[in-house]
Amino acid sequence: MSTMAILISLLLLMFLAYRGVTVLILAPLMAALAVLLSGAATDIMPTYTQLFMKELGAYLIKFFPLFILGALFGKLVADSGAAHTIADWFMHRLGRRHAILTVVLACALLTYGGVSLFVVAFAVYPIGAAIFRESGTPKRYMPAAIALGAFTFTMTALPGAPSIQNAIPTAYLGTTTFAAPGLGIIASIVMLWMGTWILQSRARKAMANGEGYGPHDDELPSNEGVKRPGLLVALLPIIVVIGLNAAFSYWILPSLDLSVLREERFGNIDPQSVIGLWSVLLALMCAIVFVILLNWRRWENLTVTINKGTIGALLPIFNTASEVAYGAVIAGMAGFAVIKDTILNVSPDHPLISAVLSMNVLAGITGSSSGGLSIAFRTLGSDYLRMIEAAGISPDLFHRVATIAAGGLDTLPHSGAVITLLAICNLTHRQSYPQIFMMTTVVPMTALLVVMVLGSTFGSF
């Protein structure tokens, strides 16, 4: 009963989210429906106030500053004229025919540099909107272009990627984030080439049929009468974010004595667990101050820019937090344990197949690649290691397969990342989700198949 309740709730959540119903209402309602259908009607209110809202609040506590700073940084980059400068430069170098590739490469550069995918979406959106509008490319393809650059190969495949997805397996398999570098690079090339080719082909067909950017003229500042910055000045804030994020992550913060975090008043936590988040926050703070001072004479109304940028973060953060809270409710139900045990024990004699199935299903249910990876490795991490040793499979190969697999079904319609991306772009599931699904599910799964074939034939490399 509980398992069926979860499936009904999940399917309804995806269907209604695709139809455009806000997840702010859907998430608590579908969580309550799952509890009701499982036969625990009296648990609905305790689940809502003591579990759903608690998890929603916990997400806000951890990531609210990241969303605020990311949105503000992106708005400042747009209103300073930097977005138009960068757009013009790329348009002249790559041409109008490569607007999609421009956005993909910009996102890939930022995420591989360690910038959070949410921050990347905020920062690249104004640049992408300018490029798409200048070239007449339909805007509905922009979320898919951002997702291809930020949610796929730089998150799960490129060796050394500083993503949480690439880091989770290391604690269980004894690998590093550079596991199976050759296979990771091949998978990245497949995703980049295949995804860009599909998106550009579809966009060109739409443009040939007379479709343009669309009625979104009020989304970006025109910057008429404002002297745009030169290319170096326009790029410097982004370079500052990447450089300072790396500096804080690998040198500055690790060199400090952060033992105070082990005191009870600060939660008695491992300092290493917050360095990554602190690094991004500090880098964004510095970059925000930097871009304001760098463009001091270009602001028409700095107060308005700051207010709009800050307020623009509210809907994305609450959408994502609500989705996380829904996942927490589902994960606490008895039926979820049944689903988890079933999928984790499929094809136990073939660890790679088992990993692909388990990572995809768990990521799909939770709407999160890191969530799926965490559940799978926390539950069967030691068993996976034993299985691959018995089968003679390299831990590095297993690491890369598991990580790419978790980036498959993690972007179903109820995914917090998808909902946030669409909110940032001011588009709906109906307008853009088919393209997002193709870029973040079909393309990565194709690359995963290539990795599995090569890995099974030649081993890890």
Side-chain angles (χ1 to χ4, degrees), residues 119-198:
V119 176
V120 168
F122 279 120
V124 172
Y125 167 68
I127 299 173
I131 294 174
F132 271 51
R133 187 166 60 182
E134 288 284 335
S135 64
T137 304
K139 185 189 174 185
R140 62 190 178 95
Y141 291 100
M142 192 192 310
I146 293 175
L148 176 60
F151 296 5
T152 59
F153 59 95
T154 56
M155 184 179 76
T156 63
L158 273 180
S163 66
I164 184 62
Q165 291 83 359
N166 197 27
I168 288 173
T170 62
Y172 300 92
L173 301 174
T175 54
T176 71
T177 56
F178 290 88
L183 291 171
I185 291 173
I186 290 172
S188 299
I189 293 173
V190 170
M191 290 188 218
L192 175 60
W193 175 82
M194 180 180 177
T196 303
W197 179 76
I198 291 174

Side-chain angles (χ1 to χ4, degrees), residues 18 21 38 41 74 81 135 159 166 181 195 219 240 245 277 307 323 338 343 356 390 393 412 423 436 451:
Y18 186 85
V21 181
S38 68
S135 64
N166 197 27
E219 293 179 357
V240 167
N245 185 29
L277 180 60
N307 289 345
E323 189 59 50
V338 175
I343 61 178
V356 169
I393 295 174
L412 292 177
I436 294 176
V451 168

Side-chain angles (χ1 to χ4, degrees), residues 157 180 182-188 190-191 352 396-402 404 444-461:
L183 291 171
I185 291 173
I186 290 172
S188 299
V190 170
M191 290 188 218
L352 294 182
D396 284 354
L397 173 60
F398 189 84
H399 172 129
R400 192 55 57 207
V401 167
I404 297 175
M445 293 305 293
T446 302
L448 176 61
L449 180 61
V450 172
V451 168
M452 291 184 67
V453 171
L454 291 175
S456 299
T457 305
F458 304 105
S460 178
F461 60 89

Side-chain angles (χ1 to χ4, degrees), residues 61-104:
I61 289 172
K62 187 171 184 179
F63 294 112
F64 187 73
L66 181 62
F67 275 75
I68 288 289
L69 294 175
L72 179 55
F73 178 72
K75 183 63 173 174
L76 288 168
V77 168
D79 284 10
S80 69
H84 290 78
T85 296
I86 295 172
D88 288 345
W89 186 87
F90 272 118
M91 289 296 293
H92 283 97
R93 295 301 184 278
L94 298 179
R96 296 167 61 89
R97 297 175 64 251
H98 299 289
I100 288 174
L101 177 61
T102 297
V103 172
V104 172

Side-chain angles (χ1 to χ4, degrees), residues 3 24 26-27 91 99 104 135 148 181 208 237 261 276-277 290 300 315 407:
T3 302
L24 296 178
L26 279 181
M91 289 296 293
V104 172
S135 64
L148 176 60
L261 289 171
L277 180 60
F290 180 75
E300 291 185 348
L315 181 59

Side-chain angles (χ1 to χ4, degrees), residues 360-372:
N360 265 290
V361 174
L362 290 171
I365 291 176
T366 60
S368 167
S369 55
S370 59

